[in-house]
Amino acid sequence: MGLLAELLRADAVQLSDRLPGGAQVQALAPAVWAVQPPAPGGRPLLLSAGIHGDETAPVELLCSIVDELLCSALAPRVPLLIAFGNLAALRAGRRYLDDDLNRLFGEAAQPVASRELPRAAVLKAATAQFCAVHGSALHFDLHSAIRDSRYPCFAIAPLAQGAPAESIPLDLLAACGIEAVLLTTATAPTFSAYTTRKLGCTAYTFELGRVREIGAGAVDEFAAAGACLRACIRGVALPPAAGLPRVFRVSRELIKQSEAFELCLGPATANFTALARGDLIARDGDSAWYAEPGECIVFPNPAVKPGLRAGLLVVAIDA
Ligand SMILES: [Zn+2]
């Protein structure tokens, strides 16, 4: 049975503690494993998927990678941490049960207990334990987007305080098939911002294609990411890339102020849709947002609770 089928049955999946090539496997938590090659070289790598339980294609990809490690089809050269996120939500086919796990990695104490809160603590502890041994890692947190995107594969790059935009390794992201990079600050309550901020990792949230059912073939849509992650695990040269990604920064956040908030863009608006200057983006009581030159919309979601972000406006900085 492959790892995916086992994860869908139970949390307590046991892997062999030694891979065919001699690498040691250590379970740091349920569905979190550290892999230590016998003669490691290259930057430690942290791979996570399933932080949102309905984003299953990246979970399928990461399970295939584990299956390949177990049968010696993939020989690791770098220290590796593999972490699956919200297992209960994955089995339920839901984004989360009580709380969005990818909003629980911030500094503020969470006021309300939820089924996700202990899992966030487990993931923080396991990644901290791994980085304490191996140093700061390269972290790819693998997601799929809820809506269509002008760039089907894109990355969110939380920049450490003071880090320049030029520090983003565009060639690495290009080799992963990433077509756009959105620069943000590492203060966000997301997993990749946490490993950047607290553990000194170079971390990315990857949005790979659209949310689909398990086995619907979505993994084929981001084969470049799979090939590049395997090259990183093997410590070999990156596969060739089609072209460098566009780079964007956040110009404004749309914060929903009240239940009167109304998105004026249409429910099917794709991520990174370019807006024309003066376009009405949203209304909320007496206030209204109009597009400024060069702005594009990302993650529009009018269904969030008041006080939360209902969308991002971004502009290209490499134009
Ligand atoms: Zn996600």
Side-chain angles (χ1 to χ4, degrees), residues 104-284:
L104 298 180
F105 292 91
E107 301 304 312
Q110 295 298 323
V112 181
S114 71
R115 281 171 281 183
E116 277 77 15
L117 208 47
R119 189 62 181 168
V122 160
L123 294 171
K124 285 182 185 175
T127 49
Q129 184 183 346
F130 178 81
C131 291
V133 173
H134 298 291
S136 67
L138 183 60
H139 177 196
F140 297 105
D141 185 32
L142 310 177
H143 292 245
S144 291
I146 301 171
R147 59 179 59 240
D148 273 331
S149 174
R150 219 176 116 200
Y151 305 102
C153 294
F154 64 98
I156 298 153
L159 283 176
Q161 200 175 9
E166 295 75 38
S167 63
I168 299 287
L170 293 179
D171 49 350
L172 168 65
L173 299 179
C176 288
I178 295 296
E179 298 154 275
V181 184
L182 176 55
L183 306 178
T184 64
T185 64
T187 54
T190 61
F191 194 16
S192 64
Y194 166 79
T195 60
T196 300
R197 185 177 69 239
K198 289 297 214 188
L199 306 179
C201 292
T202 305
Y204 305 97
T205 302
F206 273 10
E207 299 285 351
L208 302 172
R210 284 287 301 275
V211 165
R212 301 271 198 83
E213 306 249 306
I214 286 179
V219 172
D220 303 339
E221 293 168 5
F222 47 87
C228 191
L229 296 182
R230 289 175 174 95
C232 290
I233 292 169
R234 285 197 178 96
V236 299
L238 301 177
L244 292 182
R246 302 290 314 270
V247 182
F248 293 83
R249 66 170 176 80
V250 176
S251 57
R252 291 185 285 165
E253 288 192 317
L254 295 178
I255 303 295
K256 177 171 172 173
Q257 289 152 8
S258 74
E259 290 297 352
F261 182 91
E262 180 195 355
L263 190 71
C264 305
L265 294 176
T269 305
N271 282 323
F272 293 98
T273 295
L275 305 172
R277 180 181 197 161
D279 275 357
L280 176 60
I281 302 165
R283 274 191 292 250
D284 197 342

